[in-house]
């Protein structure tokens, strides 16, 4: 498989992940969690369809994350094989933590309408594990930023945004795991939301349009 194909697979996988995560974790998860916390159980039962969307989104995100872990490695290995390998291991580790976190949500299916406290506890456990995973994801993204710089053909603004995104993930989610600093983390997340999103999404667009042209790679 040539590098151009790898670039397209990576780029479209990143775009698909952004859409899936936006719907399942950005919208559906928040709606369901707010319902479970604040509404009577009989009302919360009506959000079970949205909860299924969350689970489906997590399943698709995991598949896409594993795909991107490997294709990122293949795309950047000629720039620096060691850093590419470490970045792949970090993203796989993050993805496995997401899987482990998702198991907490799966437990909710049998207690959805009978145990509000149990469901809330499972959602909070999911968020805690996922937050820890996002710290690791931040380190992965930081290494991707360095690899983008080494690649030479990637515009400077993109690797700078990706480095900023990686550091932002690390700082924000480290703060989130400290209860007394959670509000500060939310404020910083609001400020840093743009670079956190723009780095990887900008790279995705570049990969789709220009990535891998005139360079070769094989499995």
């Amino acid at each position: 498989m040539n590098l151009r194909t790898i670039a397209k697979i990576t780029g479209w996988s990143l775009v698909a992940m952004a859409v899936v995560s936006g719907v399942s974790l950005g919208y559906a998860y928040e709606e369901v969690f707010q319902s479970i916390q604040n509404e009577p159980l009989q009302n919360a039962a009506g959000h079970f369809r949205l909860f299924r969307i969350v689970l489906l989104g997590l399943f698709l995100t995991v598949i896409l994350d594993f795909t991107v872990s490997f294709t990122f490695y293949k795309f950047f290995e000629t720039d620096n094989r060691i850093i590419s390998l470490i970045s792949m291991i970090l993203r796989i580790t993050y993805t496995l933590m997401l899987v482990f976190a998702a198991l907490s949500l799966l437990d909710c299916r049998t207690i959805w309408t009978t145990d509000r406290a149990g469901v809330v506890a499972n959602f909070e456990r999911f968020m805690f594990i996922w937050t820890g995973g996002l710290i690791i994801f931040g380190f992965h993204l930081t290494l991707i930023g360095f690899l983008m710089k080494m690649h030479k053909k990637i515009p400077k603004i993109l690797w700078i945004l990706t480095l900023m995104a990686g550091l932002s993930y690390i700082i924000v989610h480290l703060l989130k795991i400290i209860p007394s600093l959670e509000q500060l983390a939310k404020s910083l997340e609001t400020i840093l939301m743009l670079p956190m999103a723009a780095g990887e999404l900008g790279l995705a667009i570049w990969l789709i349009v220009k990535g891998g042209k005139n360079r070769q790679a094989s499995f």
Side-chain angles (χ1 to χ4, degrees):
M1 187 182 296
N2 63 44
L3 208 62
R4 180 68 185 133
T5 302
I6 294 171
K8 287 181 178 179
I9 291 172
T10 309
W12 283 116
S13 295
L14 291 172
V15 171
M17 202 182 315
V19 173
V20 170
S21 297
V23 173
S24 62
L25 293 172
Y27 167 69
Y29 180 91
E30 290 299 325
E31 286 288 313
V32 171
F33 192 35
Q34 291 299 320
S35 170
I36 288 295
Q37 285 183 306
N38 303 317
E39 297 180 18
L41 278 176
Q42 58 267 32
N43 293 349
H47 284 78
F48 194 71
R49 182 175 294 179
L50 274 180
F51 178 64
R52 289 175 176 170
I53 292 175
V54 173
L55 295 180
L56 176 60
L58 284 169
F59 174 74
L60 294 174
T61 298
V62 165
I63 292 174
L64 290 167
D65 260 319
F66 277 126
T67 300
V68 169
S69 297
F70 181 67
T71 56
F72 261 150
Y73 167 72
K74 294 302 297 181
F75 186 81
F76 287 115
E77 71 170 333
T78 55
D79 298 297
N80 190 302
R81 188 173 185 180
I82 298 299
I83 295 179
S84 296
L85 181 61
I86 294 171
S87 72
M88 179 179 71
I89 293 170
L90 287 173
R91 189 157 193 147
I92 289 173
T93 302
Y94 155 74
T95 307
L96 291 174
M97 289 184 71
L98 181 59
V99 171
F100 184 59
L103 294 178
S104 298
L105 294 184
L106 284 175
D107 290 341
C108 294
R109 293 175 302 168
T110 57
I111 58 173
W112 191 260
T113 58
T114 58
D115 185 2
R116 179 199 299 273
V119 172
V120 170
N122 283 340
F123 269 71
E124 290 176 343
R125 188 179 303 115
F126 165 82
M127 186 57 69
F128 181 79
I129 297 171
W130 187 35
T131 297
L134 286 170
I135 297 170
I136 295 173
F137 177 79
F139 283 105
H140 156 77
L141 211 54
T142 301
L143 291 183
I144 291 296
F146 282 116
L147 288 167
M148 289 166 68
K149 184 178 185 299
M150 295 175 189
H151 193 74
K152 304 300 185 184
K153 292 189 176 183
I154 299 176
K156 182 177 180 180
I157 184 63
L158 290 182
W159 65 256
I160 289 175
L161 282 173
T162 302
L163 279 175
M164 289 176 61
L167 294 173
S168 296
Y169 269 102
I170 294 168
I171 293 168
V172 167
H173 293 94
L174 274 174
L175 293 174
K176 277 189 176 183
I177 63 176
I178 304 172
S180 60
L181 298 176
E182 189 172 355
Q183 193 55 50
L184 174 60
K186 289 180 180 178
S187 299
L188 276 176
E189 189 172 29
T190 302
I191 297 170
L192 298 172
M193 190 175 296
L194 182 59
M196 289 170 73
E200 199 169 26
L201 194 56
L203 173 59
I205 295 170
W206 183 87
L207 286 166
I208 293 168
V209 176
K210 292 188 174 182
K213 290 183 177 180
N214 302 321
R215 296 182 68 172
Q216 297 297 320
S218 60
F219 288 117

